[in-house]
Amino acid sequence: MSMQDATIRVLPVGTVNQIAAGEVVERPASVVKELVENAVDAGAGLVRVEVTSDRRQVTGVRVVDDGIGMGRADAVLAFKEHATSKIREIEDLDCLHTLGFRGEALASIASVAEVTIVTKPRDRGVIAGIRVRVRGGGDPEVSEVGAPDGTSVEVKDLFFNTPARRKFLKSLHTELAHIHGVVEKTALAHPEVAFRLLHNGRERIATHAADDLRETAGALFGTDLTRALVPVGGGNRFVRVGGFVARPSHTRADQYQIFLSVNGRPVYSAGIVRAIKEGYGTLLPANRFPIAFLALTTEDGLVDANVHPTKRQVRFTHEREVYEAVTETVRTALHGEDLLAGEREAEVFTPPPAPRRPARPVAPAPTTAPRPGVGESPALYAKSDRRLRQTELPLAGAERNRLPEVTVLGQVDATYIVGSTGGRSLVLIDQHAAHERILYEQVQAKQASGPKTQELIVPVLVTFSPTEVELVREALPLLAEEGFVVEEFGPSTFAVNAIPVVLGKLEEPEVIRDLVSALVREGPSDPVGRREAITRRVACRGAIKAGDPLTTEQMQRLVEQLAHTENPYTCPHGRPTVILFSPDEMAAMFRRT
């Protein structure tokens, strides 16, 4: 068979580079990531990211650094595929000390955009800098130009020759949020480097070179958060763990504020996230995530960064030992910290006036939950009491006693209510799931009637991270449709002036922050789906939690409220609220049949 008859052909170099670019360059944030990593590898003390856009999309990215710069030969060779100064042979992958090493970034970016490098080597006595321009993978245009020491890389017309890729880009604010996220992660992995991010000339992020990671975290997320951070430090012979975790009072609905780096490389690792949560243990609700800034350091050869072209994931040769070190380090740090300091000032409970009684000796705390007596603090049950009062009214039209008559016997693990039906069957009730069902149906009923929005007496100020700020800006019309009146109050602060009427008198900044953040980050696009998401989240946040102690009277009230609901047997997420053991089932468990 002749070569003319062959159906398999070698692709042109330009086509190969454009295909490869799809693995490395997904969006403008990918460009920022690759260029910022090169700047850090070049020993920069200051990295400046300038983003320009029109009303619809990002139009340009420019990254400027004061690093070592390049000479003429290196500046031209940098655009060749697989050209790199980071490694020489495959064995070098076992001892990487740089963020980049594949030699794909500039070649991939230049194949789908117009890229211009202006660079001048530092401390070489060179007078003029070099300017290299490449468009769509074509031949480089090289000239001399006046330039400061360091390197500037400008990228324009991204995906100009791959319009299908451009169509899949998201909205401007979403793409800007991804860029913010890249700068945040890199700044936290390298606090010794100062970072600036500007959008259309306006500064959005500014960090200073610092020895303390806490200072960089404060520049990005505010001093309120840094006051809640607990330092961590520890490890084993395979890994050293350092950084900060937040006190259990500061949690998030998802894991987007867990920042990890391994040997200075920002990474994502589901295993490390699980290890961090295990370190918190019962201090953290099962459906909540901590805030963490952790830096892991390993010896050469114990970590593989060559897992994916984007280098976002790594593999450890001793994964179990690494995860155990993270868990133990976090657990030890939290165990030695006063986690109540400064966290409970808002928990104020004023019991109703009672007649004066003679002093009585303090009784030992019982194992079950009675009415609070002389020896117990009423504040222990105050939050639960407020939440139960919020759901005291029965639902209109709901039939009573959809549950059998339940007599409360006690509480197990401050999570489950134990009761009996007529002294024959045993009943277990999940107190959080039960109260969530009650709140869910009452919120649904409120949505069907009455005004949608209620103004707050005092606006609630909510601070967001730089990444979230862009998402909130985009979501302001969506939030208004759902009853939130939100307006910008500062560079990273928004004032919540009104909230949906279904939230009642809720004015806690962290709860409102969670609701707004969740709606912005994960809310469905259809109005019905958004409303359902709000309803479920309101019910979950407002319900009594697992771990909340209840008095016998409070448990009985909760059971009676559950009996008023249309569907008392499952929570809004479909989990069971009530489990009943009949005499026959109990007899079978004890093998009495």
Side-chain angles (χ1 to χ4, degrees):
M1 184 178 67
S2 67
M3 292 298 294
Q4 292 180 343
D5 297 329
T7 57
I8 297 177
R9 292 179 174 82
V10 178
L11 293 174
V13 174
T15 303
V16 172
N17 286 340
Q18 288 183 10
I19 293 172
E23 296 180 330
V24 178
V25 186
E26 300 173 291
R27 57 191 348 139
S30 307
V31 173
V32 173
K33 175 182 179 294
E34 299 295 340
L35 299 183
V36 166
E37 287 182 351
N38 283 345
V40 173
D41 286 342
L46 170 63
V47 178
R48 182 183 175 95
V49 180
E50 302 171 1
V51 180
T52 57
S53 72
D54 55 25
R55 298 183 64 181
R56 296 183 298 107
Q57 61 187 4
V58 173
T59 56
V61 170
R62 183 169 179 254
V63 177
V64 184
D65 70 68
D66 59 357
I68 60 174
M70 291 182 287
R72 182 187 184 96
D74 284 341
V76 174
L77 195 58
F79 285 96
K80 295 290 185 180
E81 60 273 11
H82 306 300
T84 178
S85 62
K86 315 297 173 59
I87 63 173
R88 290 288 182 268
E89 51 193 17
I90 191 64
E91 286 76 16
D92 292 342
L93 292 177
D94 293 333
C95 53
L96 283 172
H97 300 284
T98 58
L99 298 178
F101 58 88
R102 298 174 66 97
E104 294 179 314
L106 277 177
S108 296
I109 297 169
S111 70
V112 292
E114 178 183 311
V115 182
T116 302
I117 286 183
V118 176
T119 184
K120 178 170 169 284
R122 187 173 63 195
D123 303 329
R124 292 192 197 172
V126 178
I127 298 175
I130 297 298
R131 180 179 183 271
V132 182
R133 176 181 175 273
V134 176
R135 179 176 175 84
D139 294 331
E141 301 173 6
V142 187
S143 60
E144 289 190 348
V145 65
D149 292 350
T151 302
S152 164
V153 184
E154 184 175 12
V155 179
K156 297 189 297 186
D157 291 341
L158 184 62
F159 302 133
F160 78 94
N161 54 356
T162 53
R165 176 61 59 87
R166 178 177 281 180
K167 287 180 182 178
F168 283 96
L169 294 178
K170 303 298 183 181
S171 67
L172 171 62
H173 287 290
T174 299
E175 297 300 336
L176 289 174
H178 283 284
I179 291 173
H180 280 76
V182 167
V183 177
E184 285 176 6
K185 292 181 178 69
T186 312
L188 290 166
H190 290 274
E192 76 280 2
V193 180
F195 287 86
R196 300 285 187 277
L197 172 61
L198 294 89
H199 174 224
N200 288 343
R202 298 185 62 183
E203 190 171 77
R204 299 299 190 186
I205 290 179
T207 71
H208 300 282
D211 296 328
D212 188 358
L213 177 58
R214 189 198 299 264
E215 186 175 331
T216 302
L220 292 171
F221 307 113
T223 55
D224 286 346
L225 174 59
T226 58
R227 283 194 289 267
L229 295 181
V230 176
V232 301
N236 53 31
R237 63 193 180 96
F238 299 108
V239 65
R240 297 297 301 170
V241 183
F244 298 89
V245 294
R247 290 186 173 90
S249 58
H250 288 66
T251 64
R252 297 290 181 259
D254 52 38
Q255 53 188 285
Y256 73 95
Q257 280 195 336
I258 296 178
F259 296 91
L260 307 173
S261 68
V262 176
N263 295 342
R265 182 186 306 282
V267 298
Y268 169 75
S269 169
I272 295 178
V273 171
R274 286 194 299 271
I276 294 171
K277 288 200 70 175
E278 287 178 14
Y280 276 79
T282 57
L283 295 174
L284 202 67
N287 61 340
R288 303 291 295 177
F289 289 86
I291 301 171
F293 309 93
L294 292 190
L296 279 64
T297 307
T298 67
E299 296 294 331
D300 292 344
L302 297 182
V303 61
D304 179 11
N306 192 29
V307 178
H308 189 274
T310 60
K311 302 170 293 238
R312 286 179 294 203
Q313 301 176 23
V314 294
R315 287 197 190 102
F316 299 99
T317 56
H318 298 275
E319 283 192 344
R320 183 173 60 83
E321 291 83 354
V322 169
Y323 299 157
E324 287 175 353
V326 172
T327 297
E328 185 57 33
T329 301
V330 172
R331 181 185 294 125
T332 301
L334 294 172
H335 180 72
E337 191 73 15
D338 180 9
L339 301 180
L340 297 180
E343 294 183 8
R344 302 237 177 176
E345 289 82 0
E347 283 296 321
V348 178
F349 175 73
T350 305
R356 297 180 62 87
R357 297 179 181 177
R360 294 169 55 190
V362 176
T367 55
T368 58
R371 291 180 174 82
V374 175
E376 297 174 312
S377 169
L380 188 64
Y381 305 95
K383 183 186 291 186
S384 299
D385 205 61
R386 287 198 300 271
R387 285 175 168 163
L388 283 168
R389 283 202 303 270
Q390 187 179 350
T391 52
E392 275 180 339
L393 296 176
L395 289 169
E399 298 179 10
R400 289 189 61 86
N401 298 327
R402 287 186 177 270
L403 290 176
E405 291 292 339
V406 176
T407 301
V408 170
L409 303 177
Q411 187 184 32
V412 175
D413 198 26
T415 300
Y416 305 102
I417 297 171
V418 182
S420 69
T421 59
R424 289 185 53 78
S425 297
L426 180 69
V427 178
L428 289 180
I429 297 175
D430 183 324
Q431 63 191 41
H432 172 71
H435 202 221
E436 199 175 8
R437 163 55 64 180
I438 298 163
L439 268 170
Y440 175 76
E441 292 195 10
Q442 291 199 349
V443 169
Q444 276 191 322
K446 288 181 180 179
Q447 284 178 331
S449 61
K452 192 174 184 180
T453 297
Q454 59 178 341
E455 290 190 13
L456 299 177
I457 298 175
V458 178
V460 174
L461 300 182
V462 183
T463 300
F464 292 96
S465 72
T467 299
E468 291 174 309
V469 165
E470 291 299 329
L471 297 175
V472 174
R473 286 194 181 109
E474 181 181 27
L476 288 178
L478 180 152
L479 293 169
E481 287 179 20
E482 299 305 328
F484 291 91
V485 178
V486 183
E487 60 183 21
E488 290 196 54
F489 194 76
S492 59
T493 303
F494 288 77
V496 181
N497 298 309
I499 59 178
V501 69
V502 298
L503 298 184
K505 296 181 179 180
L506 178 65
E507 295 184 13
E508 299 175 38
E510 276 306 302
V511 177
I512 293 178
R513 183 195 190 289
D514 256 13
L515 290 168
V516 172
S517 180
L519 189 60
V520 167
R521 300 177 72 88
E522 58 193 57
S525 57
D526 63 290
V528 175
R530 288 200 303 268
R531 205 156 294 122
E532 177 69 10
I534 290 177
T535 303
R536 292 186 180 186
R537 196 164 288 275
V538 169
C540 185
R541 288 310 302 264
I544 288 170
K545 301 295 185 288
D548 288 347
L550 301 177
T551 67
T552 303
E553 188 247 347
Q554 287 173 339
M555 288 187 280
Q556 197 68 55
R557 284 163 59 196
L558 178 59
V559 173
E560 291 172 1
Q561 290 178 12
L562 183 63
H564 286 79
T565 61
E566 293 290 340
N567 182 8
Y569 292 101
T570 63
C571 77
H573 307 288
R575 293 188 297 108
T577 58
V578 180
I579 295 178
L580 187 141
F581 297 91
S582 68
D584 290 341
E585 288 173 316
M586 288 188 285
M589 285 189 285
F590 284 99
R591 300 180 181 178
R592 297 178 62 88
T593 57

